[in-house]
Amino acid sequence: MDRVFEERRVSEALTTIQNAVGQMRHLQECTGEKVDLDNAHNIAQICQGVGFIGLAMWLIFANNSKVAVAQKAPLEQRHAVCATISTAVALFSGFFNILQLTAIDDFDLPGRENNFTLNLSRPIEWIMTCPIMQLKLVVLAGARVPSYRRFMMPLLSVSVLLCGTASMFTGDALRYAWYAFGLFLAGIMFYHNALQIKENSENEETIFAGDSDFRKLSILLIITWFPFPIWFSLSVEGFGVISDVLVIEMGWVILNIVSKFTYIIWMQRMKMVHQRKLEAARELYGLSPTDEVAEEDLKERAKTGAQGKQGAIVASDYGLGYGEEAESEEKMVEIVSETMVTLGMSTHTDRLLRLMVENGVTNTAVLERLNAERCME
């Protein structure tokens, strides 16, 4: 039922986005230099487009768990919330990129050579999506990260982007001041991204050491976002080192696609891997896939001997678990059971264990000495 409801609300959001795009098609037909904002029809289409994108945003977030609650929820639920937010990021990015096909967002930047025209939809897209991506990191980290970061990290992201936008629309020395201030705020933002790696791992990891998926995702965000201010400074929008419009636009396209695609796909991979682990653990301990059992509870079941549940494997069923080698024998049964579940062959676990016991493979010491030749014997 949860999956059906999830698909339904995503479908509703997609429908509203399509309607918004439809309202903008009329503006695309006006491919002149400027859109006539005195035309009542154009104004009506603009209002409808903005209204539909606002409705899509409201639908996605109103039908999801509150972020404050989600941050304290189990990892499985936090992944689900982040997946929904990723859908919003993809939808908003697609909408504003289509909007760039129209002339409605064209603005001439002051003090630029060759009368460079900016598509304002691009910085608006970033202002709408980048703070959400920072919010996802805070939610994914959970309660180990202070709750105020839910507000601070998105606000830092918005502030950096607003400084960049202000730099584009100002000239002379003030342009450099806005750019420098934006760089300063970006440094603070990236510092806290690195700090959250330590907080999430309870000081076991840093930005330079560790192997968790959260650390990799945080570093991925920093690496893919860092080139943006560099490219901005090189382009006509910044200090005009590069003046070719095609090169500038293709640079933004590549940076935008790489940063968002890699971030969203990696987070989705994290969700799928964690989901498979939970499903395997539930199957291992004789639970239904629909049972709502947290990962911590599954570990506790393993410690307290939950193997006695229906459908689970018990060492005593094979004459093991007694005498001096009891612990080693139970460990072997546990390893074989978990391996078969991971391989998706849990129905063959009983037959494999009986075959092993019949051939003298009864504990981990014997299991470690097995090789291909001894198995054939």
Side-chain angles (χ1 to χ4, degrees), residues 295-367:
E295 188 174 5
E296 292 75 12
D297 294 334
L298 290 173
K299 292 178 180 178
E300 188 63 27
R301 285 172 180 267
K303 293 178 181 178
T304 56
Q307 292 88 343
K309 297 285 184 181
Q310 182 180 1
I313 303 297
V314 183
S316 59
D317 292 343
Y318 307 94
L320 305 176
Y322 306 102
E324 296 179 356
E325 300 292 335
E327 183 177 352
S328 178
E329 293 171 353
E330 291 175 352
K331 185 65 175 178
M332 187 200 73
V333 172
E334 181 182 349
I335 291 173
V336 172
S337 300
E338 291 180 354
T339 302
M340 296 297 282
V341 169
T342 303
L343 295 174
M345 303 174 64
S346 58
T347 55
H348 302 287
T349 304
D350 180 70
R351 186 162 64 92
L352 176 60
L353 280 171
R354 294 190 184 281
L355 183 63
M356 292 173 66
V357 172
E358 290 174 2
N359 288 272
V361 183
T362 57
N363 55 56
T364 55
V366 179
L367 185 64

Side-chain angles (χ1 to χ4, degrees), residues 135-339:
L135 176 63
K136 286 164 61 178
L137 273 180
V138 177
V139 172
L140 190 62
R144 293 174 180 173
V145 172
S147 59
Y148 69 84
R149 299 279 175 78
R150 296 197 309 270
F151 307 98
M152 189 189 80
M153 297 305 291
L155 283 175
L156 280 173
S157 179
V158 169
S159 300
V160 171
L161 293 167
L162 289 177
C163 286
T165 305
S167 176
M168 288 189 290
F169 285 97
T170 54
D172 303 327
L174 190 57
R175 183 197 310 177
Y176 296 92
W178 279 117
Y179 181 78
F181 188 54
L183 278 182
F184 173 72
L185 293 176
I188 295 175
M189 180 178 66
F190 291 145
Y191 166 77
H192 282 90
N193 283 135
L195 180 62
Q196 286 172 179
I197 296 175
K198 293 183 63 177
E199 294 170 336
N200 178 68
S201 63
E202 296 181 328
N203 296 321
E204 292 183 1
E205 293 184 332
T206 67
I207 192 172
F208 303 106
D211 195 45
S212 69
D213 285 332
F214 181 81
R215 172 182 173 272
K216 294 175 182 177
L217 185 66
S218 299
I219 293 176
L220 178 66
L221 182 139
I222 295 172
I223 291 175
T224 55
W225 282 23
F226 190 75
F228 277 86
I230 298 176
W231 188 250
F232 174 84
S233 65
L234 295 175
S235 71
V236 177
E237 301 166 21
F239 308 131
V241 178
I242 300 175
S243 58
D244 190 309
V245 176
L246 178 61
V247 174
I248 294 171
E249 293 297 335
M250 289 306 299
W252 288 129
V253 168
I254 293 172
L255 290 176
N256 199 32
I257 289 178
V258 169
S259 63
K260 287 191 171 71
F261 272 57
T262 54
Y263 182 88
I264 292 175
I265 291 173
W266 185 268
M267 183 170 283
Q268 181 64 26
R269 173 191 168 278
M270 290 170 58
K271 176 179 181 291
M272 295 169 64
V273 169
H274 182 72
Q275 188 65 35
R276 285 198 295 266
K277 287 181 179 178
L278 287 182
E279 290 173 357
R282 286 172 179 144
E283 183 179 354
L284 178 63
Y285 301 130
L287 300 171
S288 170
T290 58
D291 289 343
E292 295 293 334
V293 181
E295 188 174 5
E296 292 75 12
D297 294 334
L298 290 173
K299 292 178 180 178
E300 188 63 27
R301 285 172 180 267
K303 293 178 181 178
T304 56
Q307 292 88 343
K309 297 285 184 181
Q310 182 180 1
I313 303 297
V314 183
S316 59
D317 292 343
Y318 307 94
L320 305 176
Y322 306 102
E324 296 179 356
E325 300 292 335
E327 183 177 352
S328 178
E329 293 171 353
E330 291 175 352
K331 185 65 175 178
M332 187 200 73
V333 172
E334 181 182 349
I335 291 173
V336 172
S337 300
E338 291 180 354
T339 302

Side-chain angles (χ1 to χ4, degrees), residues 63-199:
N63 292 287
N64 208 353
S65 302
K66 292 184 178 180
V67 176
V69 177
Q71 188 181 0
K72 301 176 182 178
L75 182 57
E76 184 178 17
Q77 186 175 339
R78 300 202 303 272
H79 272 303
V81 172
C82 289
T84 302
I85 298 176
S86 294
T87 304
V89 170
L91 290 174
F92 296 158
S93 296
F95 173 81
F96 285 108
N97 277 277
I98 291 175
L99 189 60
Q100 292 182 44
L101 296 174
T102 71
I104 188 175
D105 63 333
D106 291 350
F107 289 86
D108 293 331
L109 297 182
R112 294 336 191 256
E113 298 178 359
N114 302 324
N115 296 321
F116 182 80
T117 301
L118 169 71
N119 288 316
L120 192 61
S121 294
R122 175 159 34 86
I124 291 177
E125 175 209 340
W126 297 343
I127 292 172
M128 294 287 292
T129 57
C130 293
I132 298 177
M133 295 169 71
Q134 286 286 358
L135 176 63
K136 286 164 61 178
L137 273 180
V138 177
V139 172
L140 190 62
R144 293 174 180 173
V145 172
S147 59
Y148 69 84
R149 299 279 175 78
R150 296 197 309 270
F151 307 98
M152 189 189 80
M153 297 305 291
L155 283 175
L156 280 173
S157 179
V158 169
S159 300
V160 171
L161 293 167
L162 289 177
C163 286
T165 305
S167 176
M168 288 189 290
F169 285 97
T170 54
D172 303 327
L174 190 57
R175 183 197 310 177
Y176 296 92
W178 279 117
Y179 181 78
F181 188 54
L183 278 182
F184 173 72
L185 293 176
I188 295 175
M189 180 178 66
F190 291 145
Y191 166 77
H192 282 90
N193 283 135
L195 180 62
Q196 286 172 179
I197 296 175
K198 293 183 63 177
E199 294 170 336

